Amino acid sequence: MTHEFFVDMTCEGCSGAVTRVLKKLDVKFDIDLPNKKVFIESDKDTDVLLETLKKTGKTVTYIGPK
């Protein structure tokens, strides 16, 4: 299942932070920096994904399944 999140990323450094935290979860993901979106393919609970993304210090919002 693919989940779509809004993450308030403004630069490559921001997307790099997202990449670092998601690699620890061992999930497939795609970052759309211009639109500030992150797509995560995972069976993990949405709350786990949300809390992991929040570790970047960025504003994160769960948009829904894609």
Side-chain angles (χ1 to χ4, degrees), residues 2-57:
T2 301
H3 302 279
E4 184 177 354
F5 292 87
F6 169 83
V7 182
D8 193 16
M9 302 174 287
T10 53
C11 63
E12 292 291 326
C14 299
S15 62
V18 170
T19 298
R20 280 192 300 279
V21 296
L22 290 178
K23 280 191 173 176
K24 293 177 185 171
L25 273 188
D26 193 31
V27 294
K28 289 184 184 176
F29 62 93
D30 187 39
I31 298 173
D32 180 355
L33 184 56
N35 293 312
K36 300 183 178 185
K37 292 192 178 167
V38 177
F39 303 95
I40 305 173
E41 192 176 320
S42 173
D43 292 331
K44 294 187 188 307
D45 191 64
T46 308
D47 291 336
V48 172
L49 301 175
L50 193 60
E51 288 307 310
T52 300
L53 286 171
K54 284 184 177 179
K55 288 178 185 174
T56 62

